[in-house]
Amino acid sequence: MRHDDIWRAIDTLAAERGLSPSALARQAGLDPTSFNPSKRRSYDGKLRWPSTESIAKILLVTGARLEDFAALVNGARAIPETRLKGRSRLPLIDMAQADVEGFFDDGGYPAGAGWDDVELPNVADVNAYALSINLDSMKPVYRPGDTIIVSPAAPVRQGDRVVARSRDGAVMAKLLLRRTAGRIELGSLNPEFPNLRFQSREILWMHRIIWASQ
């Protein structure tokens, strides 16, 4: 367990709740500066570690489990959305159909009557949907026969796998490499395909992939 991993996990936990590290500390009843980058090392460079008490308090106010936090420490980019028990039925279409007009509304939510449904792990987002992979263009990450769950409510950050729709109607599963106020760069999951660069206005919506059937 490394010093940087612990602090990265705290930063990620805050981001999952739409908070800055300072806001998370404040909600947990801690000094607002407790998690500031300047507090993570002493003036002489000695590493400073968060206390078990402070970690316990942020888990309490966020509702996260110790297992969730451990997953973040071990390298997970987000708290698993599948932590809820049980299974539910989600709207499903083939990835190849996703470009067809009428399957999504302007916000990227499932629309129309052309969706099937499939039983998959329960997720917290009531607007989550599933896509069945039937193309080779996402190999080796996703292969034909895989199913992914996409959550419009999940926060999207650099390094996440996402489903995005461009203004010309193309729906694609990509890796978010970079996003600024004016530009978005998406990486191809298949190394045989090039990365794509867009003006921000060219991407209508972008949702995070939170689960895959692999």
Side-chain angles (χ1 to χ4, degrees):
M1 192 178 300
R2 300 183 307 172
H3 175 264
D4 289 347
D5 292 335
I6 291 286
W7 286 112
R8 177 179 44 76
I10 290 174
D11 291 342
T12 303
L13 184 60
E16 284 282 326
R17 298 301 184 268
L19 301 170
S20 67
S22 294
L24 176 61
R26 189 180 299 110
Q27 282 198 4
L30 302 169
D31 186 302
T33 65
S34 297
F35 300 148
N36 285 5
S38 61
K39 293 293 187 73
R40 301 178 187 187
R41 292 178 184 269
S42 63
Y43 289 113
D44 59 3
K46 184 178 180 180
L47 301 181
R48 287 178 173 169
W49 298 71
S51 69
T52 53
E53 180 183 11
S54 62
I55 292 174
K57 286 183 175 181
I58 63 175
L59 294 181
L60 180 63
V61 298
T62 59
R65 304 175 306 171
L66 182 59
E67 296 94 321
D68 297 329
F69 188 75
L72 297 177
V73 172
N74 287 327
R77 292 186 177 274
I79 294 174
E81 297 287 342
T82 56
R83 61 179 178 272
L84 299 179
K85 294 182 179 180
R87 300 177 74 80
S88 61
R89 302 197 73 81
L90 295 177
L92 168 76
I93 57 171
D94 289 339
M95 189 74 192
Q97 294 178 276
D99 290 349
V100 178
E101 192 68 30
F103 280 108
F104 294 96
D105 64 16
D106 291 343
Y109 297 95
W115 292 75
D116 293 324
D117 62 292
V118 63
E119 189 175 78
L120 290 171
N122 209 345
V123 295
D125 184 1
V126 297
N127 293 306
Y129 57 90
L131 296 174
S132 178
I133 306 302
N134 53 4
L135 304 169
D136 290 328
S137 58
M138 286 165 275
K139 293 172 64 175
V141 178
Y142 303 125
R143 298 176 172 83
D146 290 341
T147 300
I148 59 176
I149 294 178
V150 185
S151 171
V156 176
R157 297 185 298 278
Q158 184 173 310
D160 287 338
R161 294 172 185 171
V162 298
V163 170
R165 183 166 198 155
S166 63
R167 190 169 292 279
D168 64 7
V171 176
M172 63 203 95
K174 299 290 183 180
L175 182 70
L176 177 58
L177 296 178
R178 188 167 180 264
R179 178 166 62 175
T180 67
R183 298 190 66 82
I184 292 174
E185 183 175 356
L186 300 176
S188 293
L189 303 177
N190 187 327
E192 295 182 4
F193 289 78
N195 296 340
L196 302 175
R197 294 176 177 82
F198 299 90
Q199 296 292 324
S200 294
R201 64 178 180 273
E202 295 179 291
I203 298 296
L204 297 179
W205 49 262
M206 182 163 51
H207 301 155
R208 196 173 89 205
I209 298 171
I210 60 172
W211 184 89
S213 63
Q214 301 157 305

